[in-house]
Amino acid sequence: MHDFDDAYSPGSPENRSIARDEFAPPPDVIPVEAKKLGHPVVAWIAIVALVCLMFIVRIVISKMETPGEEAAHAKDSSLVVIGLQAKYVLGLARFAPSGKEIYASLQALNTGSLDQRLAFVTLAGELEGPEEARTQLDKLRDKLEEHKKKLADSNEKPTAEQERVIDILDNLYQDYGNGDLKASSVSAKDRALLQEELGWFGKLALAPAKGPDQAARQEILDSATRAFIAIIAGVILVLPLGIGGLVGLVLFLIFLFSGRLRTGVHPVGAHGGVYAESFALYLFLFSALNFGSLLIPSAKEWLLAVNMGAAILSLLLALAWPVLRGVSWKQVREDVGFNLGRQPVLEPAIGVGGYAMTLPLLAVGVLIMFVLLMLVGGFQQLLGNAPDEFAPKTAPTAHPIVFVLLQSDWWTRLQIYILACIVAPLVEETMFRGVLYSHLREATAKFGFFLSMLFSCLGVSFIFAVIHPQGLLAVPVLMALALGFNLVREWRGTVLPGMVAHGLNNGLVITLAIMLLGD
């Protein structure tokens, strides 16, 4: 009744003890096990060491930033989150004007770093007028004076540029309050500094309603409208997809655990240890090529091309390793799922469905991340290490690609799409869900199908998450994505649907980021 040809299933005869038949060896003949190939213990020592080294090197590189670079990075990070919220609210205000209620909902943004608070001042001026903006500036000055001594000994001490921005905003909103919408007291140099320090918020402050430069104001409001529409469209798209994905995930797990689902991953046998070596080689090559390129000043101009080249070269050499160790290329492709699958025409569509099944897991990952954020804040207070009044709010580190998107042209964005939607899914799905997952399934096969699958999925997902640059707080979210891709790989045998799901996710995220963050 069930089709199990060439497939491994928890309910199949291959996974149950059966009586000896005519094909079994005589009782007095002891089967000879195939000679193990590979050194998985040595490979795992290398893998653990490389993962730790990659984590440490990222910390060291961040510490090597000059004070100016560090401050610029911190500024971008602090303004990204408040920028998203501000654009959504201003976009909402264009469709449903209700200034008092909207402004009241934004009070929670008036916290964190000085840059965030200055950004809030511009929102106060936009939604409530120049007098409210100056009131917020006075409160900010009082708070800075109150914490003057503490700030002098911390990294949150106001810079000369930030102190100048406070004065510029005060002059700007004083002019607006006096009816001078040209802001005659604010020089061209001051206007440039305001935009440099506050970005989109600086442009918003310099383009008041009924001001002389209505084209600039329209451009700013259009960016807010795009962000609002993007968020609403994202919700409209993701909500039904997520609900359908939840139903699919529940059915998938029911069929899987009842043994009625045809799965496609086989324990690979005696040569499984070679794949641990292959994955270790991939990690070494990829990290060496990427981190090594940072030592070459001219390579920074070609960072995206270097990343693509490093990823593809690492993949090719890592896949060549098992062949050099004596495993046929046909066997390697079968073991790691580097093929078109059982139903080549349907596998891409299954990838889209697999992505939908990943969304409920992603929601759980996001929930865990927020719980961790609250726990981190709670432990800091419990230990008496509460953050400074003007310290940025604890949050996962944004992926470096976000800051490239903030100031990129169409050619750079095209490269980002190619890297994130084609190269990364091809390389990461092959190496993580293909090579590493196959090795772990073989290494844990003796524990039975379910424990083997669970351990392998979690192990692959954790390593995948922890080596990404978003930081430890983002690990639950990245693990959730990887776990969904792993389940699709276990089901279909091929990594093709996972590549489609991975590329779809990255494409949606980048498109939303461009719509939300673009000026």
Side-chain angles (χ1 to χ4, degrees):
M1 186 168 179
H2 303 298
D3 183 9
F4 292 102
D5 67 283
D6 294 337
Y8 179 82
S9 170
S12 66
E14 293 88 346
N15 198 37
R16 297 195 299 264
S17 298
I18 58 175
R20 181 173 60 87
D21 60 20
E22 65 269 27
F23 297 103
D28 57 339
V29 176
I30 301 176
V32 178
E33 291 188 2
K35 182 180 178 181
K36 295 286 185 180
L37 184 63
H39 302 281
V41 175
V42 176
W44 271 103
I45 292 174
I47 290 170
V48 172
L50 285 166
V51 169
C52 294
L53 183 62
M54 291 169 73
F55 188 77
I56 293 171
V57 168
R58 284 199 180 96
I59 295 175
V60 171
I61 290 175
S62 67
K63 298 298 183 183
M64 290 172 62
E65 290 182 332
T66 65
E69 290 174 333
E70 185 177 358
H73 189 272
K75 181 187 298 295
D76 287 341
S77 299
S78 65
L79 292 180
V80 163
V81 175
I82 189 175
L84 293 178
Q85 294 169 291
K87 287 181 178 181
Y88 171 79
V89 168
L90 290 184
L92 174 63
R94 299 190 73 183
F95 292 97
S98 52
K100 293 289 184 184
E101 293 79 3
I102 290 177
Y103 182 63
S105 70
L106 288 176
Q107 295 300 315
L109 300 182
N110 193 18
T111 58
S113 70
L114 182 54
D115 289 320
Q116 290 173 274
R117 294 170 189 265
L118 291 171
F120 178 79
V121 169
T122 68
L123 292 176
E126 174 66 25
L127 294 171
E128 289 293 295
E131 290 305 316
E132 176 63 17
R134 296 191 71 198
T135 299
Q136 293 300 327
L137 280 172
D138 289 339
K139 291 180 179 180
L140 179 56
R141 285 194 179 101
D142 292 341
K143 196 172 286 291
L144 285 170
E145 185 64 30
E146 179 185 343
H147 293 80
K148 185 175 182 180
K149 183 176 180 181
K150 191 173 183 180
L151 286 170
D153 301 324
S154 73
N155 294 329
E156 280 72 52
K157 179 182 178 181
T159 64
E161 290 80 6
Q162 288 173 326
E163 291 178 342
R164 180 60 189 151
V165 165
I166 293 174
D167 292 336
I168 293 171
L169 287 174
D170 196 14
N171 293 335
L172 186 73
Y173 289 114
Q174 184 176 20
D175 285 349
Y176 291 165
N178 293 332
D180 180 9
L181 297 182
K182 292 183 179 180
S184 303
S185 66
V186 180
S187 67
K189 183 179 179 181
D190 287 342
R191 292 170 187 268
L193 178 62
L194 190 61
Q195 293 183 62
E196 180 182 345
E197 289 294 306
L198 296 184
W200 181 84
F201 292 97
K203 295 178 182 179
L204 177 66
L206 291 169
K210 301 181 181 179
D213 194 349
Q214 285 302 298
R217 179 172 176 81
Q218 189 62 43
E219 184 179 344
I220 294 164
L221 295 180
D222 285 346
S223 70
T225 303
R226 286 195 301 271
F228 174 77
I229 293 174
I231 292 173
I232 297 301
V235 171
I236 293 174
L237 172 66
V238 169
L239 191 59
L241 196 62
I243 293 173
L246 178 61
V247 173
L249 180 63
V250 171
L251 292 175
F252 172 85
L253 293 175
I254 289 174
F255 280 100
L256 179 68
F257 284 100
S258 66
R260 297 167 61 189
L261 183 72
R262 178 186 178 185
T263 60
V265 174
H266 308 264
V268 298
H271 58 277
V274 172
Y275 295 124
E277 298 175 353
S278 183
F279 187 78
L281 178 63
Y282 161 76
L283 277 187
F284 171 75
L285 291 171
F286 183 72
S287 56
L289 290 171
N290 273 287
F291 291 135
S293 67
L294 297 178
L295 302 176
I296 306 173
S298 59
K300 292 183 179 180
E301 300 176 7
W302 302 90
L303 188 58
L304 293 173
V306 169
N307 283 336
M308 284 190 272
I312 293 172
L313 181 59
S314 303
L315 171 67
L316 293 175
L317 293 176
L319 288 179
W321 181 256
V323 178
L324 294 175
R325 298 280 276 126
V327 184
S328 70
W329 174 237
K330 180 180 179 181
Q331 186 64 54
V332 171
R333 291 177 60 244
E334 178 68 23
D335 290 341
V336 305
F338 198 66
N339 52 52
L340 297 178
R342 300 191 296 259
Q343 297 173 299
V345 176
L346 292 180
E347 300 299 344
I350 292 172
V352 176
Y355 179 64
M357 291 198 308
T358 300
L359 292 177
L361 298 174
L362 183 60
V364 174
V366 171
L367 180 62
I368 294 174
M369 182 187 70
F370 280 118
V371 170
L372 290 177
L373 285 171
M374 290 188 290
L375 289 176
V376 168
F379 279 127
Q380 286 179 335
Q381 292 183 352
L382 185 64
L383 297 173
N385 296 324
D388 295 334
E389 175 73 20
F390 288 89
K393 296 301 179 183
T394 302
T397 304
H399 195 289
I401 209 74
V402 170
F403 304 111
V404 178
L405 282 172
L406 285 172
Q407 299 174 332
S408 61
D409 54 19
W410 70 269
W411 171 240
T412 302
R413 289 180 176 179
L414 177 61
Q415 292 179 73
I416 291 173
Y417 270 110
I418 294 172
L419 175 61
C421 302
I422 299 176
V423 177
L426 170 67
V427 173
E428 292 180 349
E429 292 307 308
T430 302
M431 293 310 305
F432 285 90
R433 261 64 69 182
V435 172
L436 183 59
Y437 187 69
S438 292
H439 161 67
L440 288 176
R441 287 284 279 108
E442 182 273 332
T444 59
K446 61 185 177 182
F447 299 117
F449 171 78
F450 294 114
L451 287 179
S452 174
M453 186 191 72
L454 180 63
F455 178 84
S456 301
C457 283
L458 292 177
V460 170
S461 300
F462 177 76
I463 294 175
F464 174 82
V466 82
I467 68 171
H468 276 70
Q470 287 93 321
L472 293 178
L473 285 174
V475 165
V477 175
L478 293 171
M479 278 192 71
L481 280 172
L483 185 60
F485 302 157
N486 265 119
L487 291 177
V488 177
R489 155 77 164 123
E490 177 67 43
W491 173 26
R492 304 306 303 168
T494 172
V495 294
L496 178 58
M499 290 178 183
V500 172
H502 196 154
L504 178 61
N505 175 76
N506 289 356
L508 288 174
V509 169
I510 290 173
T511 301
L512 282 173
I514 290 174
M515 295 184 70
L516 294 172
L517 301 176
D519 289 344

